Amino acid sequence: MTGMNSITDNLSAKELNVMIVCSNKKTEKELRQILQTGGVRLLKAKNGSNGLGIDENKPSPDLIFIGAKEYQQLEARKGKGLKRAYPGTVVIADTPHPSVQGLEFGNTTYLTEPLSYKKVEEIVSQYLMMRKLAKIEKVLTGLNRNVVPSRLRFSTRTGHVFLAPEEIIYLKADSNYTHVFLRDRKHITVSKSLRTFDVGLKDSDFVRISRSSIININYLKEIDRTSKHCLLHVNGQQFKLPLSGSYSKKLMEHYKNCC
């Protein structure tokens, strides 16, 4: 099948597990020949746990070609022991719309008799494309979940404040509260200890310099080892904060020695 083999990007007909569940031996044989010519993998239908040749305790097929009679039986069994959701269901019927409703647990397509190579090829190719699009959507969803918002959320007594990291100069402990000092010469008070932010701001531009302070290292201008303090400069403002020896080494790890 040229259409099957033309679909690449890690999704070819050879990757499909297809099963045929059809009591009409002539139809089953004809369809099997068409699918095998297209290069798909055929799973052997056995007397499965639902009585339709589909064993729920083993890997399920990607695509099921099923006779209209068996399809009606499957419809009758729906919700009665049938646990798995099959991604693709193709009903083999004399007419495009047999007197059964679409299964809730699968995407149903109709393959009318007499069978033709072209019709089977179109159905498998369409399913491969659907599968490819679903894979892309899954990847994009995973990427979106990993996107980190550019703003930090701070919970206050009245609600939440959302700040960009560059708006924050430093954080100062006050018992079980933390004061957050901002570039606009304002500050907010958060009812959480500084330790909470020490963990939450890990692997960022914020570094703890003492038991009482966390600074934004982008505003660090000078370290005075004699008086053991740091100088922060921003927008004409200068902040002098004590530097603890135990935190000094960690702070210096963020910088390369120039001379």
Side-chain angles (χ1 to χ4, degrees):
M1 293 186 183
T2 55
M4 290 185 189
N5 295 329
S6 65
I7 297 194
T8 55
D9 297 334
N10 300 321
L11 286 176
S12 67
K14 293 181 180 179
E15 294 180 300
L16 285 180
N17 288 323
V18 178
M19 180 176 285
I20 303 172
V21 180
C22 182
S23 58
N24 187 318
K25 297 301 180 182
K26 181 176 180 296
T27 300
E28 190 268 346
K29 182 179 179 181
E30 185 179 354
L31 180 58
R32 179 179 294 274
Q33 290 176 340
I34 293 174
L35 290 169
Q36 286 178 333
T37 302
V40 301
R41 288 197 299 256
L42 290 177
L43 297 180
K44 188 175 182 180
K46 296 182 179 180
N47 186 18
S49 56
N50 54 23
L52 296 173
I54 305 167
D55 193 340
E56 296 169 7
N57 298 316
K58 295 182 179 180
S60 64
D62 300 306
L63 199 56
I64 301 173
F65 286 84
I66 185 169
K69 178 182 177 181
E70 289 76 21
Y71 184 66
Q72 289 174 322
Q73 294 175 8
L74 193 57
E75 176 70 9
R77 286 175 173 270
K78 187 174 58 179
K80 298 179 181 179
L82 192 63
K83 300 176 182 178
R84 291 200 173 184
Y86 302 105
T89 305
V90 181
V91 179
I92 308 167
D94 295 327
T95 59
H97 302 287
S99 58
V100 289
Q101 300 297 319
L103 298 180
E104 294 179 0
F105 57 80
N107 297 316
T108 306
T109 305
Y110 295 99
L111 176 62
T112 56
E113 297 182 288
L115 305 180
S116 74
Y117 186 92
K118 184 177 179 180
K119 286 191 292 186
V120 175
E121 179 184 31
E122 287 176 354
I123 288 175
V124 175
S125 296
Q126 288 174 1
Y127 174 76
L128 284 168
M129 183 58 69
M130 289 171 56
R131 185 179 170 191
K132 177 181 178 181
L133 294 174
K135 184 177 181 180
I136 293 174
E137 183 179 357
K138 184 178 180 180
V139 171
L140 291 176
T141 301
L143 289 174
N144 289 333
R145 287 176 180 173
N146 292 328
V147 171
V148 178
S150 58
R151 290 180 175 266
L152 303 172
R153 185 188 70 179
F154 293 87
S155 300
T156 64
R157 293 179 179 177
T158 58
H160 304 283
V161 176
F162 300 90
L163 300 169
E166 61 269 20
E167 294 181 72
I168 304 167
I169 303 172
Y170 70 98
L171 300 88
K172 185 177 181 181
D174 182 7
S175 187
N176 290 326
Y177 295 87
T178 299
H179 301 295
V180 183
F181 292 84
L182 311 175
R183 289 182 57 175
D184 60 4
R185 300 175 185 269
K186 297 179 180 179
H187 80 274
I188 61 172
T189 300
V190 182
S191 57
K192 290 186 178 181
S193 67
L194 192 67
R195 178 177 174 78
T196 303
F197 295 101
D198 196 16
V199 175
L201 296 173
K202 187 179 180 181
D203 299 325
S204 67
D205 290 336
F206 293 87
V207 179
R208 190 160 188 167
I209 61 169
S210 67
R211 295 185 63 183
S212 60
S213 300
I214 293 176
I215 67 169
N216 185 333
I217 59 174
N218 293 305
Y219 300 125
L220 179 61
K221 183 71 173 180
E222 181 183 339
I223 294 176
D224 190 320
R225 293 180 179 177
T226 303
S227 60
K228 296 183 180 179
H229 71 258
C230 295
L231 280 179
L232 307 181
H233 285 256
V234 56
N235 293 341
Q237 302 178 80
Q238 180 174 294
F239 303 89
K240 186 177 181 179
L241 302 173
L243 172 64
S244 172
S246 59
Y247 293 97
S248 179
K249 184 178 180 180
K250 183 179 178 181
L251 175 60
M252 296 305 295
E253 289 176 354
H254 288 262
Y255 300 92
K256 293 182 180 180
N257 192 13
C258 296
C259 56

